[in-house]
Amino acid sequence: MTSHWEEFFASTSPPCDLEENKKLLKDFTNYHLHFRRKIVLVTSGGTTVPLEHNTVRFVDNFSAGTRGSASAEHFLEAGYAVIFMFRTKTLEPFVRHFMGQKFLDLLEINRSSDSTMVNVKSENIDNILPVLTQYKAIQERRQLLCLQFTSLPEYMWLLRAACESLSPYGPLAVMYLAAAVSDFYIPTHQMPTHKMQSDSGPPTISLQLVPKMLEPLVSLWIPNAFVVSFKLETDESLLISKARGALAKYKHKLVIANLLQTRKHRVVFVTPEDTQEVVLTEEEIQSGIEIESKIVLLLVAKHDKFIQEAV
Ligand code: PMT
């Protein structure tokens, strides 16, 4: 009997850049396996669910990509090789510090009789230099691979490909599943080909449940990795019980639970045995500390313990 997740893959076409991404994944993971480096897959941003094959409209999942992009930087700082799998146009490591118009405001044009130069304004050098230095060092060490997705099927195909490449790492691999993945979708065969017409009246859209990919991920695709899923709720009274429910069902190591309203300064690490709050104090918030620095620090300690117990 085929399971729901197998049916999902059987009924959705792979994205056209999948083979290219598989090659990038293979090269990256082979390179770092040689050094027996710890490695993490960080997923970030929300998936879209198209409503038409020729997509004009889609349903989106909330996520700016702050959690994923900031965490990726802290994993890099901790020496991990990082695969950053992110939703196109959401925040990316390093560049997230200089987004949009703010970036142009950092620069100035200097014209002289024989040349025109674009320079960083002197008062901004202290802001750019540490980020740029870190970015260049990461590039030189080939420590970061960025891969993009937009729709739910693109995310799912890429996630499975990443797991295949990471499985030789065994316990050295961390899956840090911070992306906001849709729970509902329209199966391919039920989707209209063309743009829905408003003169046909209001559409009735029937969404189906997306299979939880955590299930095959933990049990089949990458069974020896340190798998960390996230649980987002808006109702505090459900948060811990839902996280515990996920641990019981998928049998992975850790759920990081957060509420939409307070996610930037409070998360809870939930394991089958206990719960541990990670919070930012008012002073830490004022001084610009990001909660991801604390999350990753704690996670690295848990991962190291996991590796020791596995050998
Ligand atoms: O990016 P920011 O704005 O900083 O926000 C960060 C965040 C709030 C998005 C992040 O911290 C977070 O909580 N991400 C997970 C959101 C989410 O999808 O939660 P969920 O309860 O719907 O799913 C729980 C887990 O199941 C997720 O780890 C997901 O990978 C997994 N899942 C979800 C759907 C699905 N079909 N299959 C899955 O395996």
Side-chain angles (χ1 to χ4, degrees), residues 28-37 168-169 172:
F28 186 80
T29 50
N30 282 348
Y31 177 76
H32 291 287
L33 190 59
H34 180 74
F35 301 106
R36 300 216 38 83
R37 199 164 269 153
Y169 280 82
L172 290 178

Side-chain angles (χ1 to χ4, degrees), residues 38-42 66-82 84 96 134 143 174-178 226 228 230 254 256 267 269 276 278-280 289-305:
K38 290 187 286 180
I39 193 163
V40 59
L41 173 77
V42 176
T66 313
R67 176 82 78 228
S69 57
S71 302
E73 281 180 25
H74 293 292
F75 277 116
L76 288 164
E77 217 176 298
Y80 281 68
V82 175
F84 183 65
R96 74 189 173 103
Q134 206 193 351
Q143 221 181 314
V174 177
M175 308 297 289
Y176 186 83
L177 305 171
F226 188 71
V228 182
F230 280 73
L254 174 69
I256 300 181
V267 303
F269 276 44
Q276 187 174 358
V278 178
V279 286
L280 286 183
I289 292 176
E290 295 175 314
I291 193 165
E292 287 77 13
S293 63
K294 291 188 164 190
I295 294 175
V296 171
L297 193 69
L298 190 54
L299 208 57
V300 169
K302 286 185 184 294
H303 183 216
D304 286 343
K305 190 160 172 269

